Amino acid sequence: MECPHDLGTTGAAMKMPVRACTKCGSPLSQYNPDLVCAPCSRLGSAPRVPDRAWRDEAVQRALAAWDFGQLVRLLRRRSGLSQMDVRALTGLTQSYISDLENGRKQLGGRDAITDLLNGLGLPADLRALLLTPFINRDQRSIPDALDPAMPWTADRMVASLEVAVGGSMKRRSALAALSGVAISQYVLQSAVAPAEALAADTRDGTPVTPLLLDTMQATTDALRQLDATSGSGTLADTAKRHLKVLLGLLKTGSYDERMGRRLAAVTADTAIQTGWYTFDGGKHAAAQRLFLGALRAAHASGDSRLHAGVLSFLAIHGYSVGDPREAVTAARTARQSISDQDAPALHAMLLTRQARGHARLREERHALAALDEAEELCARGRGEDDPHWLYWVNRGEILGQRGSCYLELGRPEQAAVAFASARGVLSRDEVRTRAQFLSRAATAQMRAGDADAGCATGQEVLSLVDGIRSARLDEHLQAMLLEAQNMRKAGPVKALLEQGEAVLRQRSEA
């Protein structure tokens, strides 16, 4: 018969001592000689991008091209990392990383780009690639003044604007409209390029004072008001002369850092408006050059709201006469740059620009989502940081942009409803804007099959346009009359066509 004490001694001798993971406390396998379990061991070695991956030629081309989706995809493949590993390194969500790699989303804004590259461990010696655009053969003729990779200095800003206004026009034949990679480079470089000092102590130069800058800004504001009521007309030439005075002050004036930044801000605002008058006059390539110069001036001013304002006009250029993807990229980057501003009206305006780009691309869900958010922000009213030059953003503007998006998306019935809602809240003082939206409303009504309503709205438009000089408005009038021609058998259409043709003849002779 065995003694219980002997049994206990025998059992204890047979058990191995129990060891626990020093990190999580889980039992360790007897075959694991380490102090931590296997899961904790894997967590201890954080994922990283090895230097050899960055040395790959294709990776460096993607970095130079600012193609961040391709960059992440290539780095993952050459490092053996998963999208979850990239998430751990950068803080981006896995779904965002997937969309970025597949081109469904783009990375915009200084902070987002910086966080991504820092998280992926961009080697210091490769940072210079960010200042070198990926230039295709057909883009090698870009003049230095329009090259987005050139340093974002005060001198480069002045040179770019002088080219735009014709003060220093070398290689004039090469100054065609930029597109594709070059525009994307400008947009993204403007978000990440470091700010340069902006002061000039010119002994014999004109002192740049607050009163002088107030006067210059007042002139820019007065021209803006004239445009809203009677169209661009001859404003472009007047604005160019005003812009040249500002450029003269930047070159030869005397100012400290604070006054220099403010001078750059007035210059940026003036260049934006000059570009807009030029665009409204139908000179699209010349307008784009002014917008790009304005982008450099806004960057020099340090005012993120002006930076967003320039990008909003580049977005208009993109969805109107360029690549709608540029409009989406510009609007998104602009919103990123003002993420720290209490500016609901500015955000709302940018969302309408983004929506127009999506609509041109037939991305209906994205377009309508942007418009819904724009309406919500507009309903909040003005924010503390909303700029004075954005006075025209209101519910009527948002509804009018919704109507334009529906028209682009092939939904004329919904467009007509949106325009009908807009006309009740559009300002009657801003005649050019009202006429433009109503011309699109008439087009939507006729396209939806309502000839009577379309012709009545069309007649109202024709009664408004006398004295308004705007090539863009003329384009809308022509589109409206072209739509009417498709319904020429309807009773009221004949009278609209006759009056419309007479109005267009008068406008072409003016």
Side-chain angles (χ1 to χ4, degrees):
M1 187 174 180
E2 296 183 81
C3 172
H5 179 75
D6 292 338
L7 283 173
T9 303
T10 306
M14 293 177 63
K15 287 184 178 179
M16 296 291 292
V18 176
R19 297 184 305 123
C21 174
T22 57
K23 287 191 174 181
C24 68
S26 300
L28 290 174
S29 166
Q30 60 179 315
Y31 304 106
N32 182 357
D34 299 325
L35 298 177
V36 295
C37 62
C40 287
S41 176
R42 286 194 294 270
L43 287 174
S45 56
R48 69 179 186 87
V49 178
D51 186 73
R52 58 176 170 75
W54 285 105
R55 303 303 158 186
D56 182 85
E57 184 179 348
V59 167
Q60 294 187 16
R61 282 201 303 268
L63 179 64
W66 291 56
D67 188 344
F68 297 113
Q70 175 75 344
L71 177 70
V72 172
R73 183 188 301 111
L74 290 172
L75 286 174
R76 281 203 311 103
R77 289 176 179 174
R78 283 149 180 75
S79 306
L81 299 177
S82 66
Q83 289 183 345
M84 292 303 291
D85 290 330
V86 174
R87 175 185 177 180
L89 289 169
T90 64
L92 299 173
T93 64
Q94 188 272 331
S95 61
Y96 188 94
I97 293 166
S98 177
D99 286 344
L100 185 66
E101 289 189 6
N102 289 287
R104 291 189 292 269
K105 287 189 177 178
Q106 296 188 29
L107 202 65
R110 180 195 307 235
D111 293 340
I113 294 171
T114 301
D115 288 347
L116 174 75
L117 296 178
N118 285 343
L120 295 175
L122 172 65
D125 64 307
L126 296 184
R127 290 174 187 167
L129 288 175
L130 289 169
L131 300 177
T132 305
F134 181 67
I135 302 176
N136 294 324
R137 288 184 179 179
D138 61 348
Q139 293 172 316
R140 293 188 183 277
S141 60
I142 298 174
D144 286 349
L146 295 182
D147 189 339
M150 297 301 289
W152 285 61
T153 62
D155 288 344
R156 189 62 55 186
M157 167 188 65
V158 172
S160 176
L161 284 168
E162 283 188 327
V163 166
V165 298
S168 177
M169 190 69 81
K170 295 180 180 180
R171 296 172 65 187
R172 181 185 297 267
S173 62
L175 297 180
L178 305 185
S179 61
V181 172
I183 288 296
S184 296
Q185 283 282 332
Y186 250 103
V187 170
L188 296 174
Q189 287 279 18
S190 70
V192 301
E196 298 284 340
L198 193 65
D201 185 12
T202 306
R203 180 174 300 177
D204 299 325
T206 302
V208 177
T209 64
L211 179 59
L212 178 59
L213 292 179
D214 286 344
T215 303
M216 291 292 178
Q217 182 66 61
T219 300
T220 300
D221 291 338
L223 293 174
R224 188 179 358 248
Q225 290 284 351
L226 285 172
D227 171 64
T229 55
S230 56
S232 59
T234 59
L235 292 181
D237 289 337
T238 302
K240 280 184 181 180
R241 288 193 290 271
H242 180 42
L243 181 56
K244 287 180 179 180
V245 173
L246 289 163
L247 290 176
L249 289 174
L250 280 166
K251 291 174 67 175
T252 63
S254 180
Y255 44 87
D256 60 16
E257 184 72 18
R258 185 171 65 88
M259 284 295 101
R261 298 252 179 242
R262 191 175 167 204
L263 174 57
V266 179
T267 302
D269 192 13
T270 304
I272 292 170
Q273 290 306 120
T274 307
W276 170 245
Y277 308 146
T278 304
F279 183 82
D280 194 44
K283 298 177 181 178
H284 302 142
Q288 187 194 69
R289 294 195 291 275
L290 283 158
F291 292 146
L292 296 178
L295 198 57
R296 287 187 178 272
H299 178 270
S301 77
D303 189 335
S304 60
R305 299 167 303 171
L306 273 172
H307 174 252
V310 184
L311 292 179
S312 76
F313 282 94
L314 279 172
I316 294 176
H317 191 283
Y319 70 65
S320 298
V321 298
D323 186 342
R325 296 180 194 82
E326 295 168 8
V328 175
T329 298
R332 283 177 171 168
T333 304
R335 292 201 68 204
Q336 177 73 24
S337 72
I338 57 166
S339 59
D340 60 341
Q341 301 281 334
D342 176 26
L346 185 52
H347 277 282
M349 182 270 286
L350 291 168
L351 282 163
T352 65
R353 304 291 185 253
Q354 182 177 329
R356 292 293 298 273
H358 285 308
R360 286 292 302 273
L361 293 167
R362 296 303 179 99
E363 297 171 347
E364 181 172 322
R365 181 170 61 86
H366 294 303
L368 298 183
L371 289 167
D372 289 344
E373 187 177 355
E375 285 198 42
E376 291 175 8
L377 287 167
C378 187
R380 284 174 47 188
R382 308 289 296 184
E384 183 178 343
D385 298 320
D386 272 318
H388 77 282
W389 41 264
L390 206 63
Y391 63 88
W392 47 270
V393 172
N394 53 38
R395 185 167 177 267
E397 170 71 18
I398 306 299
L399 288 169
Q401 295 293 348
R402 182 179 287 275
S404 295
C405 284
Y406 276 132
L407 207 53
E408 296 281 2
L409 291 167
R411 295 173 60 176
E413 294 85 359
Q414 289 89 340
V417 171
F419 283 126
S421 300
R423 70 180 299 160
V425 285
L426 282 170
S427 171
R428 293 189 174 276
D429 293 332
E430 296 174 14
V431 184
R432 192 274 306 276
T433 300
R434 187 175 182 83
Q436 189 165 294
F437 274 137
L438 288 179
S439 67
R440 302 212 84 194
T443 299
Q445 289 166 333
M446 287 185 281
R447 197 169 292 175
D450 192 342
D452 290 338
C455 288
T457 304
Q459 293 285 359
E460 182 180 354
V461 172
L462 295 177
S463 70
L464 291 173
V465 300
D466 186 32
I468 301 176
R469 300 294 305 278
S470 166
R472 290 181 74 245
L473 177 57
D474 289 346
E475 291 172 5
H476 287 299
L477 293 177
Q478 290 166 355
M480 179 185 77
L481 295 175
L482 183 62
E483 198 65 44
Q485 287 179 355
N486 297 330
M487 307 184 73
R488 61 172 60 251
K489 293 183 180 179
V493 171
K494 183 178 179 182
L496 176 65
L497 286 173
E498 289 176 352
Q499 183 180 354
E501 289 167 1
V503 167
L504 285 178
R505 276 197 305 272
Q506 289 178 338
R507 293 176 69 79
S508 65
E509 294 168 358

